[in-house]
Amino acid sequence: IGDGHKLVTGLASLQSATCSELSFINHNKYLKLLAASQAGAVIVERGLVSHVKTDKLVVNDAYLAYAKASQL
């Protein structure tokens, strides 16, 4: 959901991601990290979608989706 033309240059944690990197959130205990994150896009589980204000990929299992993205 968001800008379908955004260029993602890499993967990073919520804490270290830049505006051109993809990160993920899979639990509400990471909401403070999400709020402070500079990630350009976030892989997010359905139950947390409303908390992500940047571009997002909505999935059932964010950890698995991030692992698959790391193999690309």
Side-chain angles (χ1 to χ4, degrees):
I1 299 172
D3 180 0
H5 298 288
K6 179 173 275 187
L7 178 63
V8 173
T9 61
L11 305 173
S13 67
L14 286 171
Q15 300 99 312
S16 64
T18 66
C19 64
S20 65
E21 291 177 307
L22 177 67
S23 192
F24 81 102
I25 184 167
N26 65 342
H27 195 280
N28 61 5
K29 68 182 176 183
Y30 302 114
L31 290 176
K32 286 186 180 180
L33 295 176
L34 175 66
S37 182
Q38 298 297 310
V42 176
I43 298 172
V44 58
E45 294 190 3
R46 296 183 190 285
L48 299 171
V49 169
S50 65
H51 299 283
V52 179
K53 306 305 180 204
T54 190
D55 296 329
K56 56 192 126 299
L57 298 171
V58 182
V59 299
N60 289 324
D61 186 334
Y63 188 80
L64 177 61
Y66 188 80
K68 287 181 178 182
S70 73
Q71 298 301 310
L72 298 177

